[in-house]
Amino acid sequence: TACVVSKKVSPKAVVRNTVKRRMRAALKGTTLPTHVSLILTAKKPVATASFAAVREDIEQLITKFRSGK
């Protein structure tokens, strides 16, 4: 799984790295099939979002993926 955060999200590397860490931490508790690779690309609002919001969004994406929608 890869987490991508561009300079459009924030010109500061500290903010981009924080977003990446939050995304990786949100993925830690989830289980994906072994044959699945994910690339998560962050958008601007994630820079100011709470960890709980990031985790909820990622869980919703994984739920949609599992249901095939």
Side-chain angles (χ1 to χ4, degrees):
T1 302
C3 298
V4 180
V5 183
S6 74
K7 287 185 179 180
K8 289 181 182 179
V9 172
S10 175
K12 295 182 179 183
V14 172
V15 175
R16 293 193 309 269
N17 290 336
T18 300
V19 170
K20 287 180 196 177
R21 282 193 300 273
R22 285 182 177 178
M23 291 169 65
R24 281 190 230 118
L27 281 169
K28 262 192 178 167
T30 62
T31 55
L32 294 171
T34 56
H35 65 281
V36 173
S37 296
L38 292 178
I39 300 174
L40 299 175
T41 306
K43 301 294 181 182
K44 273 190 179 185
V46 76
T48 57
S50 67
F51 175 71
V54 172
R55 182 173 31 198
E56 183 180 328
D57 286 346
I58 289 177
E59 286 174 358
Q60 286 177 356
L61 286 171
I62 291 173
T63 302
K64 280 185 183 180
F65 174 77
R66 285 188 180 138
S67 67
K69 292 184 180 180

